[in-house]
Amino acid sequence: MGHARGAYWFGSQLSIGEARRLVPHNNATSLQVTSAVLAGMIWAIRHPDRGIVEADDLDFREVLEIQMPYLGPVVGVYSGWTPLDERTPLFAEDVDRDDPWQFKNFRVT
């Protein structure tokens, strides 16, 4: 975020229809989340000698190979979004409108 092309988003674009075709009575979010859990469990079974590891220590290729059938299209796209988009003018906020990528402009909930 904040570079000359704006922001970059990378992720799954699984639709509700495709999710329910793959696993009835589910939605896209449930498959995206549980496919990661499934991939982690299979990785642990395949690598019992590794013990407890951080997610960053897993081979992403092996994990994604397990997840991909449940993710639908996985794409990366540039976006014009900034942290100031869709901010309401109804309430005064301490934001930096000259540089939308300043940390103070991000909402933390």
Side-chain angles (χ1 to χ4, degrees), residues 25-74:
H25 313 293
N26 278 267
N27 60 43
T29 302
S30 71
L31 287 189
Q32 291 160 339
V33 171
T34 57
S35 69
V37 174
L38 173 67
M41 291 171 34
I42 291 173
W43 184 92
I45 291 167
R46 289 179 180 171
H47 305 279
D49 57 322
R50 293 288 304 272
I52 297 172
V53 298
E54 296 288 333
D56 288 348
D57 294 330
L58 302 179
D59 177 5
F60 73 90
R61 290 174 202 87
E62 183 178 356
V63 171
L64 281 177
E65 179 183 323
I66 297 162
Q67 281 190 270
M68 288 303 288
Y70 304 100
L71 296 180
V74 175

Side-chain angles (χ1 to χ4, degrees), residues 66-104:
I66 297 162
Q67 281 190 270
M68 288 303 288
Y70 304 100
L71 296 180
V74 175
V75 301
V77 294
Y78 286 98
S79 166
W81 178 87
T82 77
L84 297 178
D85 285 0
E86 299 183 26
R87 296 296 266 267
T88 178
L90 298 177
F91 302 100
E93 290 185 276
D94 181 21
V95 295
D96 184 346
R97 296 203 180 277
D98 294 327
D99 188 355
W101 297 106
Q102 290 299 310
F103 182 75
K104 70 191 285 182

